[in-house]
Amino acid sequence: MKKTSTRLADGRELIYYDLRDDTVRDAVDRRPLDRTVTTSEVRRDVLLGDSVAIASHRQGRTYHPPADECPLCPSQGDRLSEIPDSSYDAVVFENRFPSLAGDSGRCEVVCFTSDHNASFADLTEEQARLVLDAWTDRTSELSHLPSVEQVFCFENRGAEIGVTLGHPHGQIYAYPFTTPRTALTLRSVAAHKEATGGENLFDAVLERELADERVVLEGEHWVAFVPYAAHWPYEVHLYPKRRVPDLLGLDEEARSEFPKVYLELLRRFDRIFGEGEPLTPYIAAWHQAPFGALEEFEGVNRDDFALHLELFTIRRTPGKLKFLAGSESGMNVFINDIRPETAAERLREVASS
């Protein structure tokens, strides 16, 4: 992998990640852009104990442009985009309309391929490995920013999810705090560790899932399963078998196997609702240990956390979506319409030939 960092016309950072070491990236952003101005701030909810990002400047962000005006495609002739070069393998740049900025963190866009009509599932294993390396590199770099406590790499796919740009891409949020979801998990890990005299909760969960009927696919270094208490109609958790706290902890064996396992998982997601159905909308989310202090989670350190990816769709059956209504949105109590064992069986049935 070759990494080339440059700046866009408004001062934002852009980084090319190339498969070939001899690739030259010297294209200049020719757009007449003013410096990006954001109104992002983080406010604390004292009743719930969580934080909310206020980002009113995002109301003006690009919304479902036609394909020939996509800002994530390479620049071609007089059609100028966020990527100055005429081609790329993978690229990461600071979001022009960030939810978090400055002392409130940082938001980046990750473009998986220059092919506008592709999806992550269409990538080759070599391309998928490049994206994994980009996620890892950005996790490392962002973790050193003084305002950042946790790095979250994710992909939203599909209009049903709320995606406003159709080009295959994901995002990275660098939060200035430990997210509520992670904090809840760490409290459970701490309680389990104390109650069992030191046993790791992630290890216990993984051991149980490996012995159950909800395993979807398994490699030498990775395992994917539908969790016992899945929140979503089709939800799969992908774990490295050797517990590591973040992407930086993966060894070469796990990195090499990841593309094959993950691409197969994504392709199964696109087949679960049958032929002729639109591509399955999904969210793919990497959960990594915070880089900030963990004193509030007594007895827990970063190595107690287990890196894992959660992949889920809001589609519950062809033509029908799972909406977060009263119980889910009002009280955070999920009601799943599909038994996790049934979901796992379906995902095994649609394996590639």
Side-chain angles (χ1 to χ4, degrees):
M1 178 189 78
K2 182 181 180 182
K3 175 183 174 182
T4 307
S5 180
T6 185
R7 292 282 172 179
L8 297 174
D10 55 8
R12 289 176 294 131
E13 185 178 18
L14 179 142
I15 306 163
Y16 294 98
Y17 292 90
D18 286 296
L19 293 168
R20 291 174 55 96
D21 290 336
D22 59 353
T23 303
V24 176
R25 298 295 184 187
D26 56 7
V28 176
D29 185 3
R30 295 181 283 126
R31 297 173 298 170
L33 297 180
D34 294 327
R35 284 273 175 177
T36 300
V37 177
T38 68
T39 59
S40 178
E41 62 175 308
V42 174
R43 297 185 180 181
R44 183 78 171 169
D45 186 322
V46 296
L47 291 178
L48 296 180
D50 60 10
S51 299
V52 177
I54 310 296
S56 58
H57 61 277
R58 285 173 52 80
Q59 289 282 32
R61 66 187 185 273
T62 308
Y63 187 80
H64 292 298
D68 61 357
E69 297 178 15
C70 175
L72 306 185
C73 288
S75 293
Q76 298 287 343
D78 292 330
R79 193 191 77 175
L80 306 178
S81 74
E82 290 280 65
I83 296 89
D85 217 326
S86 59
S87 67
Y88 63 85
D89 292 333
V91 70
V92 176
F93 60 88
E94 289 184 75
N95 198 322
R96 190 177 179 187
F97 304 97
S99 301
L100 306 165
D103 293 339
S104 297
R106 175 157 156 154
C107 292
E108 298 181 341
V109 177
V110 184
C111 297
F112 306 138
T113 171
S114 60
D115 185 351
H116 181 84
N117 297 313
S119 70
F120 201 116
D122 296 321
L123 301 183
T124 65
E125 290 185 19
E126 185 181 34
Q127 289 174 307
R129 169 60 190 266
L130 182 65
V131 175
L132 174 63
D133 290 342
W135 283 330
T136 305
D137 180 71
R138 296 315 301 152
T139 296
S140 176
E141 293 292 324
L142 293 171
S143 71
H144 289 97
L145 296 180
S147 63
V148 172
E149 287 198 14
Q150 188 170 6
V151 179
F152 176 47
C153 307
F154 65 99
E155 179 192 1
N156 299 327
R157 189 184 78 169
E160 300 95 327
I161 296 294
V163 174
T164 57
L165 296 175
H167 196 102
H169 73 287
Q171 299 181 66
I172 302 176
Y173 276 21
Y175 296 103
F177 50 77
T178 296
T179 63
R181 172 74 176 273
T182 304
L184 283 173
T185 302
L186 289 171
R187 292 188 187 103
S188 296
V189 170
H192 184 84
K193 189 174 185 178
E194 181 179 7
T196 60
E199 182 182 67
N200 183 274
L201 180 57
F202 283 107
D203 292 349
V205 168
L206 191 56
E207 181 180 0
R208 182 184 70 181
E209 295 293 355
L210 280 167
D212 219 312
E213 59 182 309
R214 291 179 300 277
V215 172
V216 174
L217 60 90
E218 183 177 357
E220 183 179 354
H221 303 283
W222 294 86
V223 60
F225 57 87
V226 177
Y228 173 76
H231 289 57
W232 299 94
Y234 289 92
E235 174 183 341
V236 176
H237 294 190
L238 178 63
Y239 276 70
K241 291 184 177 179
R242 182 179 69 87
R243 173 164 46 91
V244 295
D246 51 40
L247 290 165
L248 303 172
L250 292 174
D251 58 24
E252 181 55 35
E253 289 78 9
R255 292 181 183 280
S256 295
E257 186 181 71
F258 170 78
K260 180 178 181 180
V261 174
Y262 187 49
L263 290 172
E264 170 62 18
L265 192 57
L266 291 179
R267 289 161 187 167
R268 292 190 192 192
F269 254 61
D270 281 339
R271 292 193 292 267
I272 52 179
F273 297 108
E275 295 293 331
E277 284 294 311
L279 292 178
T280 302
Y282 66 70
I283 293 175
W286 281 109
H287 292 263
Q288 306 190 80
F291 289 94
L294 299 179
E295 285 85 357
E296 65 177 292
F297 312 107
E298 189 173 349
V300 171
N301 56 55
R302 292 193 79 250
D303 290 336
D304 289 319
F305 194 88
L307 167 76
H308 61 285
L309 182 142
E310 297 184 7
L311 174 69
F312 60 89
T313 179
I314 62 172
R315 187 179 292 164
R316 55 188 174 89
T317 193
K320 296 181 180 178
L321 302 179
K322 165 66 178 177
F323 291 101
L324 299 189
S327 185
E328 292 88 355
S329 294
M331 295 302 290
N332 200 29
V333 177
F334 277 67
I335 301 170
N336 194 347
D337 303 306
I338 298 177
R339 292 185 75 247
E341 292 75 17
T342 302
E345 181 180 9
R346 176 59 180 157
L347 285 162
R348 288 193 297 269
E349 289 176 349
V350 295
S352 296
S353 57

